[in-house]
Amino acid sequence: MKLQQLLTHLHPLVPFTEENPEITSIENDHRKVQKGSLFVCIKGYTVDGHHFAESAVKSGAVAVLAERPLELAVPVITVKDTLRAIAVLADVFYGQPTQQLHLIGITGTNGKTTTSHLIEKIFADHGQKTGLIGTMYTKIADKTIETKNTTPESLTLQKTFRQMVEEGVEMAVMEVSSHALDLGRVHRCDYDVAVFTNLTQDHLDYHKTMEEYKRAKSLLFSQLGNSFNLKKPKFAILNADDPASELFKKSTAAHVYTYGIDHPADIQAVNIEMTTTGTGFDLLVGKDKYPVHLQLLGKFSVYNVLAAISAALVSGIPVLEAIASIEKVNGVAGRFELVKAGQDFTVIVDYAHTPDSLENVLKTIEHFAKKKVFVVVGCGGDRDRTKRPLMAQIACRYATNPIFTSDNPRSEDPMAILKEMEAGVQGEDYLVIPDRKEAINYAVKQAETGDVVLIAGKGHETYQIIGNEVHDFDDRLVARGAIEER
Ligand SMILES: CC(=O)N[C@H]1[C@@H](OP(=O)(O)OP(=O)(O)OC[C@H]2O[C@@H](n3ccc(=O)[nH]c3=O)[C@H](O)[C@@H]2O)O[C@H](CO)[C@@H](O)[C@@H]1O[C@H](C)C(=O)N[C@@H](C)C(=O)N[C@H](CCC(=O)O)C(=O)O
Ligand SMILES: Nc1ncnc2c1ncn2[C@@H]1O[C@H](COP(=O)(O)OP(=O)(O)OP(=O)(O)O)[C@@H](O)[C@H]1O
């Protein structure tokens, strides 16, 4: 594609350069530049991509997009915001792939991964070739690829959508993080359905206030205040029980479809009954009532299921088909995952790393726990510090034996993180075991018949980040080892 052809899509229009080279790829990482690349300089959180422009030209870049004039041997096009511009260029360069997919985006503090897997399952059972982008991995038809971010930056994202189209994928479901919405990673994504799960405290290290966090989430539904034409979804699926839905409803031009438990909605779960092996409820769709038997536990799982069924219904999938698919799901990796090694107590590994998710999981456990509840929990370093005392409070409120430990301390001193957790629970009974493996071993060794051990925070993750180093660590394997050693 010619440079000028690409640039016509930017708004406001940038003046053309005299040269009009053929662009063979767009790159924002100078290490990936090849002959014919357009190099886009992005001011990151760690480094300023403008510093790599000269190296990019040496590696073969034939044009550079920047936020300031640069003295280079190739045309330099300047725009106000390269991060947003690259999203537009990526969409155009890869042939606007999202217009060729039935695209479902999910945002919310908790439940994105679970809901996206449920949706993917419904569409796959319906006979469609599916794609998925999220925290655990990216899936393009039968291929899975590791991911670094929940929502990748726009260049990777649009390239992934292109690959999906080429592989014959018809429906793609993706998690849309608030960071992605704020940083324009999903600009130009043409969503058919936008889903909201819930909004509770998280990521305040980035968004600073809950209002800002909510505003970022609202962009998926409203696109207000965006100069780079994020497309409007056709359907907005909103949680009638979450107060944040009011704002999204007011600001969206999409057709609103609601789900709920405590408030009337387009689809509603009533008569919920939980056992130790599953959850039953009646699904009200208008005047019709359908019995549903989930293998998943907890009220929060019912919300995820309602969100997934809503997305299926507005996409034209019959309700009985959607229910049949969901009833077959016996879990999502690292989400309320049971570790079974012949023991007579329950061990659960769960990704709960926000106050709300920890509370939901512990409330669910409270429902069936007959005796002691151990919770092994920590808080990540270099992330929202305000969560720390809250997580500790919730652990002490619902568990008989809370154990505070490390969870990806990153550049922070693990003991300092633990002190901030402890500040929230003065006078309460808890243990501090900074080494995560020791903490898990301790809980498993102490557990007796009928007790529950919840290992919270890391779920499916298979690493622990300490300083700059990534160490292999899998809560599920450590727990299994500890059980077998008893
Ligand atoms: C704050 C943030 O979002 N950072 C993202 C950002 O990194 P950055 O700003 O540090 O980038 P940088 O290293 O300064 O580089 C700036 C530019 O220079 C270029 N560069 C850099 C080095 C070099 O040698 N050559 C070069 O050309 C880079 O390619 C880039 O274009 O761009 C990277 C590449 O796309 C992202 O992976 C990275 O996400 C980091 C890993 C991250 O932790 N992000 C979190 C905050 C995040 O986005 N989380 C959400 C939600 C997760 C959840 O819900 O739990 C997510 O969607 O993942
Ligand atoms: N609807 C929900 N409401 C509250 N908590 C939930 C909900 N769904 C799942 N959880 C809890 O939150 C944890 C994370 O769930 P999930 O991975 O589906 O959310 P997520 O939004 O993808 O999280 P992240 O953005 O951090 O990747 C689960 O392990 C569970 O403890």
Side-chain angles (χ1 to χ4, degrees), residues 59 95 119 189 273 387-388 458 473:
S59 304
I119 291 176
C189 285
E273 275 184 27
K387 282 198 295 193
R388 295 173 186 173
K458 297 187 63 62
F473 197 98

Side-chain angles (χ1 to χ4, degrees), residues 194 215-226 230-233 236 247-248 250-254:
R215 187 201 61 82
K217 293 271 178 221
S218 77
L219 294 176
L220 184 63
F221 306 94
S222 73
Q223 299 90 45
L224 285 177
N226 270 284
L230 208 157
K231 303 256 174 67
K232 292 176 175 57
L247 171 73
F248 306 157
K250 267 192 216 138
S251 54
T252 192

Side-chain angles (χ1 to χ4, degrees), residues 95-123:
Q96 305 188 307
T98 57
Q99 293 186 12
Q100 296 161 60
L101 294 164
H102 182 72
L103 184 62
I104 301 180
I106 304 172
T107 201
T109 308
N110 297 306
K112 297 183 295 298
T113 304
T114 311
T115 306
S116 60
H117 280 77
L118 296 175
I119 291 176
E120 199 244 343
K121 169 86 180 126
I122 298 174
F123 279 81

Side-chain angles (χ1 to χ4, degrees), residues 453-473:
V453 177
L454 170 68
I455 304 166
K458 297 187 63 62
H460 65 285
E461 287 179 1
T462 52
Y463 57 81
Q464 168 95 309
I465 309 172
I466 303 171
N468 285 328
E469 288 178 9
V470 180
H471 299 260
D472 286 343
F473 197 98

Side-chain angles (χ1 to χ4, degrees), residues 28 30-31 44-47 149-151 153 177 179 185 203:
N28 61 0
H30 87 281
R31 292 160 292 195
Y45 282 82
T46 330
V47 286
N149 287 98
T150 294
T151 313
E153 35 121 3
S177 67
H179 302 78
R185 293 182 200 158
H203 301 310

Side-chain angles (χ1 to χ4, degrees), residues 205-403:
D205 52 328
Y206 180 89
H207 297 289
K208 310 296 177 214
T209 65
M210 281 302 286
E211 273 314 298
E212 262 308 297
Y213 181 33
K214 182 155 80 173
R215 187 201 61 82
K217 293 271 178 221
S218 77
L219 294 176
L220 184 63
F221 306 94
S222 73
Q223 299 90 45
L224 285 177
N226 270 284
S227 51
F228 280 92
N229 51 346
L230 208 157
K231 303 256 174 67
K232 292 176 175 57
K234 294 179 187 67
F235 289 95
I237 309 278
L238 301 179
N239 178 349
D241 295 346
D242 193 299
S245 290
E246 268 312 302
L247 171 73
F248 306 157
K249 193 172 172 180
K250 267 192 216 138
S251 54
T252 192
H255 180 82
V256 172
Y257 194 88
T258 55
Y259 64 90
I261 297 175
D262 301 330
H263 294 86
D266 291 316
I267 67 167
Q268 194 181 1
V270 294
N271 307 326
I272 298 177
E273 275 184 27
M274 266 179 254
T275 67
T276 50
T277 53
T279 310
F281 63 89
D282 287 324
L283 179 70
L284 301 182
V285 185
K287 290 198 176 83
D288 299 322
K289 188 158 95 176
Y290 304 87
V292 181
H293 302 281
L294 302 179
Q295 298 182 54
L296 307 169
L297 295 177
K299 187 177 176 186
F300 65 90
S301 297
V302 177
Y303 278 112
N304 297 337
V305 163
L306 291 174
I309 292 180
S310 303
L313 291 185
V314 302
S315 303
I317 296 184
V319 62
L320 284 173
E321 232 188 270
I323 293 172
S325 289
I326 296 269
E327 286 186 334
K328 282 189 266 171
V329 178
N330 62 7
V332 176
R335 275 79 187 155
F336 223 93
E337 186 174 336
L338 297 176
V339 181
K340 290 183 185 165
Q343 80 278 19
D344 58 2
F345 54 92
T346 308
V347 176
I348 301 163
V349 169
D350 190 90
Y351 194 45
H353 56 274
T354 65
D356 183 57
S357 58
L358 185 64
E359 184 163 19
N360 282 318
V361 171
L362 282 167
K363 269 189 186 165
T364 306
I365 290 172
E366 198 177 42
H367 223 85
F368 63 81
K370 303 270 177 298
K371 298 166 92 185
K372 293 194 292 295
V373 176
F374 294 79
V375 58
V376 177
V377 61
C379 289
D382 305 333
R383 294 286 186 273
D384 190 352
R385 292 172 61 171
T386 60
K387 282 198 295 193
R388 295 173 186 173
L390 300 177
M391 296 285 280
Q393 281 163 15
I394 289 162
C396 289
R397 192 176 313 144
Y398 292 96
T400 51
N401 298 57
I403 301 166

